[in-house]
């Protein structure tokens, strides 16, 4: 158990922010794929003005397609539906709302001087 805790601390210590693109290059309610530090990430600019970042890889099929998903919401929760089998994920938590056995990795984002940055 100590190894797991130490590994978590190591991962936290090595997480860094990566500048990805200017905010104005992201269209509202449309996904864009980016290669960030060697990892495929899907970025979404939602109606509330926030930018969400999730793994580009669909957890159900392992295909790199999430940027082509359908942006929507469930109540006040912004969502992305996989373009392949339409599993619906919460954009903030990665929780799958249609299949509890699936989770979509999410990444922190921030805006710095008009640019979107993603933490990996």
């Amino acid at each position: 158990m100590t190894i797991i805790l130490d590994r978590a601390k190591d991962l936290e210590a090595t997480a860094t922010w990566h500048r990805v693109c200017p905010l104005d290059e992201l269209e509202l309610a449309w996904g864009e794929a980016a290669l960030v530090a060697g990892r495929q990430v899907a970025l979404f600019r939602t109606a509330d003005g926030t930018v969400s970042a999730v793994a580009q890889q669909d957890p159900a099929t392992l295909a790199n397609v999430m940027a082509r998903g359908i942006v929507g919401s469930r109540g006040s929760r912004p969502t992305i539906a996989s373009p392949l089998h339409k599993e619906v994920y919460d954009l903030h938590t990665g929780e799958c709302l249609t299949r509890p056995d699936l989770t979509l990795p999410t990444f922190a984002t921030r805006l710095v001087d008009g640019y979107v940055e993603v933490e990996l």
Side-chain angles (χ1 to χ4, degrees), residues 7 23 50 57 75 78:
R7 179 71 178 138
L23 176 62
T50 61
Q57 188 175 65

Side-chain angles (χ1 to χ4, degrees), residues 7 14 18 26 32-33 37-39 41 44 46 50 53 56 74 77 81 85-86 88-89 91 96 106 112 120:
R7 179 71 178 138
T14 60
H18 301 274
L26 296 178
E32 292 293 342
R39 180 155 192 177
V41 174
F44 301 92
T46 54
T50 61
Q56 171 72 334
R74 292 273 174 103
R77 299 167 77 173
H85 295 289
K86 308 303 184 253
V88 177
Y89 299 90
L91 272 174
C96 185
T106 61
V112 177
L120 297 182

